[in-house]
Amino acid sequence: MGTLRRLAGLPAGRVGKWAVIAVWLAVIVPLGVLAAGIGQAQDNDETSWMPSGAPSTRAVELTRREFPAARDSALVLVYARQGGLGAADRAAVLDDRNRLRALGDVTGPAPSADGAALTLTVPVPGDAMESGEATRIVARAREIMRAGLPAGLTAAATGPAASRADAADANGRVDGTLTLVTVAVVALLLLVTYRSPVLPLVPLACVAAGVVAAQAGAVLVAEAGVVVNGSGAALMIVLVFGLGTDYTLLLISRYREELAEHSDRHQAMALALRHTAPSVAASAATMALAALALFAADMNSTKGLGPLAAIAVVAALLAMTTLLPALLTALGRGVFWPAVPRRAAPGARTAHIWRWTGRLVSGRPRRAWAVAGLTLAALACGTAFLRVGVLDGGDNFTRVPESAAGQEVVRAHYPGGATAPVLVYVPARAAATAAGLARTAPGLAASGPAETSASGRWTRITAVLADPPSSDPARRSVEGLRARLARAVPDALVGGQTAALLDRDAAMDRDLAVIVPLVTGVVTLVLGVLLRAAVAPLLLLGCALLSSGAALGLSALLFHALGFARTDQTVLTLGFLFLVALGVDYTIFLMARARQEVRERGHRDGIVTALVATGGVITGAGVVLAATFLVLTITPVVLNIQLGLLVALGVLVDAFVVRTVLVPALALDIGPATWWPARPAPAPRPFGQPSGIGSPPW
């Protein structure tokens, strides 16, 4: 324990601070070189978003192994005119076909039965789909399609290749913007908080170092086989900024309190670290261990987020408990200019708000927690408006992409599944049986010829759905086909877009059912170890669950008002993780301070003192963290927007209601039994108000 304390106090030492800064300067360059490979480390292949071991995923893997030439994805160009195509329209399509041959072997034009549409199909190689070259191919095809288009002729690029390109374009446009906006939001809030033009630059530099360290860690785990995709990399940046800023506010707030009591800044920082580092470390441990519970997920994209989130938490913790205190100590009191804290400085100008809150909660604690609890329960009723389901196609974007609009054109003139066929894989010996079942299966408009693999072991049969691939009738058709094949050909695999949607839906339902109780158990155990109590962890967990329900209900009402068609199960899974783990953070900060105060003042005065002392900083941290997650709403991806709104609302509910009223009121009403079986041994003294210096001026 003594060694750990000495290490924790190293950044505050007269020599130690320079040693810490030197170590960071020595490692930041190699870490930066490693982090520069984060783009190449990302695996945005379709299987990285699919459930591991699912039939559709195994179908993709079998295609790569047995049908390498069939890895191509279709880029479908559809041309349509209301009332029927004319000679000029057909001539324009033929001209496009000739120019598109520079991109690949073009098939078509394929006419619709009503004579109002034609399609051209360009195969996009599998290697191009995995390398990102597909985006350039799709963009060039669209240029050719639009050049010389006759007036009144509608044209759109759709199909799997266009859908992937549109998704990549939507995510790619915001990668740099997301980071810049996050930096701007955090910088502005820190500037408002401390009213200093210099101080915000220090934590921002430390957060930047944390981001570099986190990205370097992501590259290393990617090399070890962990799936790292674009969404995970973006979420990691948000976590480092959000948590890093939270830890910053807690440390600087306590540092300013100690500067008001001690003239030696090294002693002040050592005391600040001694008081804040344990609760910050406990908070980080809770979040990291809860994130690692995502390893139990079936969805590859969800499973990969576990280690990425844990790495982000550890990077933020290391940067803010080593580099930040070392820099602050080295820069001295002048870093707070113009509001330089002096010894025996007066209390913060907003301290009276938290004194009033303390008196309000402690006056009638039972009424306080009852009102807060009923309010949260009422908000949770908003979950009745929640519509859960996989976000696919245009539903996952704020603006309908061209590929989704093109699918609607195809649907109007061709069988709904023309651009996304069902792919059936069976052992070659059962090809005839499977082909017969596919031809007579309900919901299939057509069945193509069988294709045998180069090894001769497998046969692939292509079938076209009568309904759009994302529709409920199409899903029922694929379920029926799978059931028929399972009885006659047990080794059969059914893949394709609709099959993948079915498997994703089932996997995400399963992940939600498994990860929610797993995260709950992990958080309960961590709280028990931290607080060395049995009652307090259950109290805090119950409050966190009620807060999560309220945030979900409030979010459901907001999603309904914004017109979102559905809420993806991934939003609920990740949202629960962040709401519970991050929400418990603030109660950890409160209760850790409460344990210190209870020993000196007794239970009642200790709880109220902790509430008043931490009120400003925790509320400020909640506002900053919520604003950081709200940055996700600038993306055009509905899943990111929903996750950002859900977590932001949950953090605000937790900071302003749960931490401020519900938890302290319950602790006061329950009394010293809150700490059972521990028995704090207080040395009571008259209730005294802490200085509160450094509390953000909200």
Side-chain angles (χ1 to χ4, degrees), residues 305-519:
L305 285 176
L308 293 185
I311 288 170
V313 173
V314 172
L317 175 68
L318 289 176
M320 297 309 169
T321 56
T322 59
L323 182 58
L324 177 63
L327 288 175
L328 289 174
T329 308
L331 293 170
R333 295 174 186 261
V335 74
F336 291 93
W337 182 87
V340 179
R342 302 296 180 187
R343 186 170 182 179
R349 62 187 177 93
T350 56
H352 68 280
I353 297 175
W354 300 107
R355 292 192 190 100
W356 177 82
T357 303
R359 287 194 296 269
L360 180 67
V361 172
S362 61
R364 293 188 175 182
R366 185 165 300 175
R367 185 169 68 177
W369 69 253
V371 171
L374 288 174
T375 301
L376 295 177
L379 290 175
C381 293
T383 54
F385 290 88
L386 195 64
R387 291 168 291 180
V388 180
V390 176
L391 289 170
D392 184 63
D395 289 340
N396 198 29
F397 298 94
T398 52
R399 294 181 180 178
V400 178
E402 182 181 328
S403 55
Q407 178 60 45
E408 292 301 314
V409 177
V410 172
R411 177 183 180 183
H413 301 283
Y414 295 87
T419 61
V422 175
L423 304 174
V424 179
Y425 298 86
V426 295
R429 64 180 183 278
T433 301
L437 291 172
R439 280 194 300 270
T440 58
L444 297 186
S447 178
E451 176 188 359
T452 303
S453 67
S455 68
R457 294 194 298 266
W458 288 88
T459 296
R460 187 177 78 154
I461 301 167
T462 302
V464 177
L465 289 162
D467 301 291
S470 300
S471 66
D472 289 337
R475 298 186 192 201
R476 288 193 292 270
S477 298
V478 171
E479 287 176 335
L481 177 61
R482 279 179 166 175
R484 300 182 89 196
L485 288 169
R487 291 190 293 269
V489 188
D491 294 330
L493 293 174
V494 178
Q497 180 178 331
T498 306
L501 287 175
L502 276 173
D503 292 339
R504 283 177 56 198
D505 207 6
M508 288 192 291
D509 283 341
R510 178 262 176 200
D511 289 349
L512 187 61
V514 170
I515 290 173
V516 165
L518 190 57
V519 168

Side-chain angles (χ1 to χ4, degrees), residues 30 85 124 170 231 355 365 518 536 552:
L85 297 170
V124 178
S231 291
R355 292 192 190 100
L518 190 57
L552 184 58

Side-chain angles (χ1 to χ4, degrees), residues 509-651:
D509 283 341
R510 178 262 176 200
D511 289 349
L512 187 61
V514 170
I515 290 173
V516 165
L518 190 57
V519 168
T520 303
V522 168
V523 170
T524 304
L525 288 175
V526 172
L527 287 175
V529 172
L530 169 67
L531 298 175
R532 299 186 295 279
V535 175
L538 297 177
L539 170 69
L540 300 187
L541 183 65
C543 292
L545 293 176
L546 182 58
S547 174
S548 300
L552 184 58
L554 195 57
S555 298
L557 294 172
L558 184 57
F559 297 163
H560 182 74
L562 292 174
F564 293 142
R566 290 179 297 279
T567 298
D568 199 277
Q569 294 98 317
T570 300
V571 173
L572 301 182
T573 302
L574 297 181
F576 180 82
L577 166 67
F578 293 133
L579 287 176
V580 172
L582 294 176
V584 165
D585 276 2
Y586 297 135
T587 50
I588 285 176
F589 300 148
L590 170 67
M591 298 304 279
R593 181 66 178 258
R595 283 184 67 90
Q596 298 172 16
E597 300 294 343
V598 164
R599 292 191 183 98
E600 297 182 4
R601 306 174 186 274
H603 181 75
R604 180 186 179 279
D605 285 356
I607 294 293
V608 178
T609 299
L611 169 62
V612 175
T614 62
V617 65
I618 291 181
T619 303
V623 171
V624 172
L625 187 60
T628 305
F629 270 93
L630 281 176
V631 172
L632 287 173
T633 61
I634 70 171
T635 73
V637 181
V638 171
L639 188 148
N640 290 343
I641 294 172
Q642 290 183 341
L643 182 61
L645 289 172
L646 174 59
V647 177
L649 288 172
V651 167

Side-chain angles (χ1 to χ4, degrees), residues 30-31 66 79 87 127 135 230 264 298 304 318 365-366 392 438 517 522 526 529 536 552 586 606 658 668:
L31 287 177
E66 296 287 338
Y79 303 79
D127 291 340
T135 301
D264 183 357
D298 270 351
L318 289 176
R366 185 165 300 175
D392 184 63
V522 168
V526 172
V529 172
L552 184 58
Y586 297 135
V658 176
L668 287 169

